[in-house]
Amino acid sequence: MAMAALRREGRRFAPLISPRPITAIRSSPLTPTHEDEGPIGVRYISTQVVRNRMKSVKNIQKITKAMKMVAASKLRAIQTKAENSRGLWQPFTALLGDLPSVDVKKNVVVTISSDKGLCGGINSTSVKISKGLHKVNSGPEKETKYVILGEKAKAQLVRDSKKDIELILTELQKNPLNYTQVSVLADEILKNVEYEALRIVFNKFHSVVSFVPTVSTMLSPEIVEREAESGGKLGDLDSYEVEGGETKAEILQNLAEFQFSCIMFNAVLENACSEQGARMSAMDSSSRNAGDMLDRLTLTYNRTRQASITTELIEIISGASALEG
């Protein structure tokens, strides 16, 4: 009977049993709604706000999962090329050597990075190593320049080393990577840069979750001949016979150009594999974090909804008790 009386007299006693003032103003995004309010001194978040946040997190989770799948697909396509390209530069290393500690006056640091982000710290690692090489090989009688491949290394090095940048090349992976494309880039670098030692910085791919920052050093033909004559690690170079009408200097020049294009081809592919592997790991972590956030938001939403229902029940019972009294 109390509930029947409450229904009959509801409109008449509404101002007394409701703690919220009745207003004729239409609700707007800035006007508090029924779910936004609570007892005096109690604050809790609106269920509508939580629902919108949950929807946003679900959309982000879908995007990160899709990006992980795309990165996995690209990785499978590039990994085979990278493994096959390792056989190109290894004979040159056996013949001409790799001398990272060679002391020359003109050094060029070739930094290979990606054009896109969301791939962990592979680009920052390459930039840090490049800066370290620049610092080690700088001096009063030495000159060290940068050649940058990729937008991410460009964005970091332009800020504090703009005057040392000799050449910038971007959009390497706009088309599928092949030897012809990379050899054109290598020829462009050799034409525009004077060097005695080229130090190529890239990330060597080991697995989806592992990559190793690597520095490969290539010497100019003059320095190779000088090191061979001095009897260092290149001392066995004179044991080979030269056939044909070409001189030793011409052969070394041709070998240097071909060596650089082979090293660049392998370095670009290895770095692309590392980029996709790092992106897979980053997107997988983002998807898991989005799932954890969604669980927390769901718990918050259920608690807020339950608090709203409890408040309404208290108001109804209080009104019924007031009518009976």
Side-chain angles (χ1 to χ4, degrees):
M1 292 184 61
M3 295 304 296
L6 178 62
R7 285 194 294 272
R8 286 196 302 271
E9 302 294 331
R11 291 191 181 90
R12 199 172 144 198
F13 290 96
L16 299 177
I17 63 176
S18 175
R20 297 178 296 276
I22 297 178
T23 176
I25 301 175
R26 294 181 61 185
S27 62
S28 66
L30 300 177
T31 305
T33 60
H34 175 71
E35 293 176 344
D36 290 330
E37 298 179 0
I40 297 176
V42 178
R43 297 178 61 188
Y44 54 88
I45 192 170
S46 168
T47 55
Q48 182 63 38
V49 173
V50 180
R51 279 198 300 267
N52 292 340
R53 186 69 181 273
M54 291 170 65
K55 184 178 179 181
S56 299
V57 174
K58 285 180 181 178
N59 292 337
I60 293 173
Q61 190 179 39
K62 290 179 182 178
I63 293 171
T64 54
K65 286 182 177 179
M67 291 183 68
K68 178 186 175 183
M69 294 175 63
V70 171
S73 177
K74 290 183 178 180
L75 176 61
R76 282 194 295 268
I78 301 174
Q79 186 174 357
T80 304
K81 289 184 179 181
E83 292 173 352
N84 294 334
S85 69
R86 291 172 185 171
L88 287 175
W89 61 270
Q90 289 172 351
F92 289 105
T93 303
L95 176 62
L96 302 176
D98 189 347
L99 305 176
S101 60
V102 64
D103 187 18
V104 295
K105 293 182 179 180
K106 293 184 178 180
N107 290 276
V108 175
V109 180
V110 182
T111 306
I112 300 176
S113 67
S114 64
D115 289 316
K116 299 179 181 179
L118 300 177
C119 53
I122 65 170
N123 297 315
S124 300
T125 303
S126 297
V127 171
K128 287 179 181 178
I129 293 176
S130 300
K131 289 181 178 180
L133 288 173
H134 185 278
K135 185 177 181 180
V136 168
N137 294 286
S138 297
E141 297 182 356
K142 295 182 180 181
E143 182 183 18
T144 305
K145 297 290 185 181
Y146 287 113
V147 172
I148 300 173
L149 279 73
E151 287 285 350
K152 294 303 175 180
K154 170 189 170 185
Q156 296 186 48
L157 290 173
V158 162
R159 288 197 294 264
D160 53 358
S161 305
K162 188 174 182 179
K163 60 182 177 63
D164 295 326
I165 296 175
E166 192 76 15
L167 186 64
I168 297 175
L169 300 170
T170 57
E171 297 184 356
L172 297 181
Q173 300 184 43
K174 189 175 183 181
N175 298 315
L177 292 170
N178 54 57
Y179 180 76
T180 303
Q181 176 188 357
V182 177
S183 62
V184 172
L185 295 176
D187 187 58
E188 185 74 16
I189 293 172
L190 293 177
K191 285 181 179 178
N192 292 278
V193 174
E194 294 183 3
Y195 73 96
E196 292 181 349
L198 284 167
R199 306 180 190 275
I200 300 100
V201 181
F202 62 97
N203 295 284
K204 187 174 182 180
F205 178 78
H206 275 202
S207 67
V208 175
V209 295
S210 175
F211 58 89
V212 179
T214 306
V215 180
S216 182
T217 305
M218 193 200 87
L219 305 178
S220 66
E222 295 80 9
I223 302 300
V224 170
E225 193 169 0
R226 186 192 74 183
E227 291 292 322
E229 291 174 354
S230 64
K233 293 185 178 180
L234 303 180
D236 296 336
L237 190 62
D238 290 331
S239 62
Y240 293 91
E241 295 182 1
V242 178
E243 296 181 356
E246 294 182 338
T247 63
K248 183 179 179 180
E250 291 174 346
I251 291 176
L252 286 175
Q253 180 66 36
N254 295 333
L255 282 175
E257 293 177 359
F258 189 49
Q259 178 191 15
F260 183 57
S261 62
C262 292
I263 292 176
M264 284 292 295
F265 182 53
N266 174 254
V268 169
L269 288 174
E270 295 277 2
N271 199 80
C273 282
S274 301
E275 175 192 349
Q276 300 302 335
R279 184 170 287 116
M280 281 182 60
S281 300
M283 293 302 102
D284 183 57
S285 299
S286 299
S287 299
R288 290 199 303 269
N289 292 338
D292 295 339
M293 184 178 291
L294 197 58
D295 292 340
R296 292 195 298 270
L297 287 172
T298 302
L299 182 61
T300 302
Y301 174 77
N302 291 335
R303 286 177 176 175
T304 304
R305 184 169 171 270
Q306 185 63 42
S308 176
I309 294 172
T310 303
T311 302
E312 292 180 359
L313 289 174
I314 291 173
E315 291 175 354
I316 293 172
I317 294 171
S318 299
S321 301
L323 290 175
E324 286 180 354

